[in-house]
Amino acid sequence: MTRYSTAAAAALAVALLATACSDPSAGGGGGGSAAPAAWPDQTADLAGVELTVWAAQNSNSVPESVVSAFEDATGASVDVVTIPDPYEQGVQTKVATGDKPDLAFWQPTASMLTALNAPTNLQPLDDAPWLEDMRPELRDMTGILDGTRYAALISTPAVMGVYYNKQVFADHGITDLPTDWDSFVELGRTLKADGVTPFFEMGGDRWATQWWVQVQLADAAADGLWDRMNANEEAFTDPAILGAIEEYKSLIDEGLFNDSIKTATFEDQGDALLAGDAAMAVQVNSFFGQLQAKADTATLDETIGFFPIAPSGNVGTFIPDQANALVAFKTGDATREAAARQLLSFWLGDGYADFVAAQDTVSLQTGVDSPDTVPVALTEVADALGDSVGSMQALAVANPDLYLFLADMIQGSTSPQQVAQETQDQFAQLAQAQGVEGF
C-alpha cells in the first residue's frame, strides 16, 4: 500500500547517484532524445512490441481494463509487474542501478520526480494530446518539475480529510458536520462521552500517522509554509509544525483514539469504520479504495461520508499518490518509448471513458462524465480539490519520513520535540543532497 514517503534513505542514495554520475547536459541517461517526441496514433500497430508497467500492490489492478483494450487495439503486449512494498523505495533502488520499466505508477510531486532524477530518466510529456481535455483546475496541479511535465494524471489526486460513519453520527444525533478544527475535536470528545471511539489510527502500519499533522497545517501551507521551509527560513521545530505534532500527541493522551493504536493496521482501520466501532478516521483516497474492496457502493453510500478539515474550516490538503499518475521512462529503445507514449495517449484518450467506468472513479476530463456508480464519498473528496492546499509531499523540496518518527512517538519512544528535530535533520540532509540552495 502507499506509504507517501520518499523512502528517505533510497532518495538520498538516488540524489547522490544523480549528482555524482549524470551529465546534466545530456539528453537523457536512458538514451532518449532531448527533442520533443512525437505522439503516435492511439491505435497504431504495435504487433511484437512488449511493454512493462511497474505498479504497487494497491495499484496493480488499476490498468487491467485499459491494458486489455490497448492490447486488442494495437497488438502490443503489456506486462504489469508488481513491485513489493515499500514501493517507492523499491522503484528508486532499481532505477538507481539502471533497471527501468517503460511506464510506472508514481507519485507526481516535484520532490518525488526529483527522487527519480526526472530530467535524466523520464520522458517529458509537455505536449501530451490529452491535456486540452483535462479539467482546468487539475491540469497543472501536479506532475511538473522545473517547468517540465513528467507525469500523466489518470485519476483525481488524493485528499487528506475525515472519513466518518454516517450511522454512528445519526445514532448519536449528529446532524451537522464539523466546520473547523476546534469543532472537529469537540465532536470527538462528545462521542467519547457517549461511549464511542471517536478516532481510529493505524499505528502498527505507521504510514498514515502523518495525516493528523498535515491537515492541521493547511492554513499555514496556504500562507507559504512550504516555500519558507524550502528556503530554510522555517523548520519542523518551529511553532507551526511542532505545534501540530504536539496537538496530535495531546489528543492521543486524552484517549480519543482506539485502544489498539500502537498495533492497529490499515485493514483494522477500514473494518472498524465500516462496522461503526469507530466514528472517524483521518485518511486519503487509498483508504476508500480499501473500503470498496470490503463493501458494495450501496452499502458505502449508506455508511461512509467524507469532509475536509483544517484549523480555519473545511479545507482539504491534496496529496497526489502513486496510484494517481504514471511516468514514462527513457529506456534507450525508441520503439518502446514511443509505444509507452501511445499507451498513455490511449489511456487518456479513446480508453478513458471505459477506464473511469471500470474504476468507478471521478473523471478528470470535461468531455467524459463520471459514472453514476461512483460512491458519494469519492465525489465529496473530488469536490474538495477545488480549494484544497498542497501537502508536504506536493510542495516541499524533500519529504522526510515524518510518519516513521510519529509512529515512534505513538509507541512512546520519542517526544513531539524529538519527532520535529529528527524530521528537520532528515529534511535538511535530503535538501542538501539535492543541491537545494540554502541548505
Side-chain angles (χ1 to χ4, degrees), residues 162 164 168-169 172-194 196-199 256 279-280 307:
V162 184
Y164 67 97
V168 170
F169 276 31
H172 292 270
I174 300 164
T175 57
D176 297 323
L177 297 177
T179 56
D180 56 24
W181 184 260
D182 289 342
S183 60
F184 170 57
V185 172
E186 276 308 307
L187 174 57
R189 291 175 175 140
T190 298
L191 288 167
K192 179 177 172 59
D194 285 350
V196 176
T197 298
F199 310 126
L256 297 180
M280 292 175 277
F307 59 88

Side-chain angles (χ1 to χ4, degrees), residues 7-361:
L12 180 58
V14 171
L16 293 173
L17 178 66
T19 300
C21 302
S22 66
D23 177 2
S25 66
S33 171
W39 288 87
D41 183 86
Q42 295 181 39
T43 57
D45 182 23
L46 291 175
V49 177
E50 298 180 358
L51 295 175
T52 299
V53 180
W54 284 355
Q57 291 176 346
N58 74 327
S59 56
N60 59 10
S61 64
V62 172
E64 287 179 354
S65 63
V66 173
V67 163
S68 178
F70 184 71
E71 289 177 327
D72 289 344
T74 66
S77 175
V78 182
D79 186 19
V80 179
V81 177
T82 302
I83 304 299
D85 284 332
Y87 176 73
E88 290 83 358
Q89 181 175 350
V91 169
Q92 289 175 79
T93 300
K94 285 177 175 292
V95 171
T97 61
D99 184 6
K100 301 175 185 177
D102 298 293
L103 294 155
F105 283 86
W106 194 249
Q107 189 175 347
T109 61
S111 59
M112 290 302 283
L113 292 170
T114 298
L116 279 185
N117 197 2
T120 295
N121 291 319
L122 301 181
Q123 296 191 53
L125 308 177
D126 288 318
D127 56 350
W130 65 80
L131 292 174
E132 62 185 18
D133 298 322
M134 288 190 69
R135 288 162 46 187
E137 71 272 21
L138 300 179
R139 185 180 300 134
D140 298 326
M141 176 176 278
T142 189
I144 298 171
L145 176 65
D146 296 333
T148 298
R149 187 183 308 275
Y150 291 106
L153 201 63
I154 60 168
S155 59
T156 52
V159 178
M160 299 177 201
V162 184
Y163 288 89
Y164 67 97
N165 186 295
K166 295 179 179 179
Q167 191 60 55
V168 170
F169 276 31
D171 290 346
H172 292 270
I174 300 164
T175 57
D176 297 323
L177 297 177
T179 56
D180 56 24
W181 184 260
D182 289 342
S183 60
F184 170 57
V185 172
E186 276 308 307
L187 174 57
R189 291 175 175 140
T190 298
L191 288 167
K192 179 177 172 59
D194 285 350
V196 176
T197 298
F199 310 126
F200 198 101
E201 183 61 284
M202 38 168 281
D205 275 346
R206 306 185 299 182
W207 57 266
T209 55
Q210 62 184 299
W211 307 155
W212 274 86
V213 171
Q214 291 213 50
V215 295
Q216 295 180 66
L217 299 175
D219 295 347
D223 191 41
L225 169 66
W226 298 112
D227 289 337
R228 296 190 295 276
M229 294 287 294
N230 293 341
N232 203 15
E233 296 171 354
E234 191 164 347
F236 285 85
T237 51
D238 287 334
I241 302 179
L242 175 58
I245 297 170
E246 290 174 332
E247 168 78 352
Y248 181 37
K249 179 66 160 58
S250 71
L251 297 178
I252 296 171
D253 292 344
E254 192 177 338
L256 297 180
F257 288 85
N258 47 304
D259 292 339
S260 61
I261 185 172
K262 292 183 179 181
T263 59
T265 66
F266 185 55
E267 289 290 326
D268 296 334
Q269 191 178 48
D271 290 340
L273 199 69
L274 271 176
D277 295 334
M280 292 175 277
V282 175
Q283 259 291 3
V284 292
N285 297 34
S286 59
F287 176 69
F288 194 77
Q290 183 203 173
L291 299 184
Q292 286 179 292
K294 295 175 180 290
D296 59 31
T297 297
T299 300
L300 292 173
D301 284 348
E302 292 175 0
T303 309
I304 304 297
F306 173 88
F307 59 88
I309 200 69
S312 64
N314 293 119
V315 178
T317 300
F318 73 83
I319 175 168
D321 69 29
Q322 56 81 16
N324 294 142
L326 288 159
V327 293
F329 281 83
K330 295 176 180 177
T331 61
D333 185 319
T335 298
R336 283 170 42 211
E337 288 181 4
R341 295 193 300 275
Q342 184 175 330
L343 174 52
L344 289 178
S345 185
F346 179 86
W347 195 320
L348 291 158
D350 291 349
Y352 192 65
D354 289 340
F355 169 69
V356 295
Q359 292 292 308
D360 271 346
T361 194

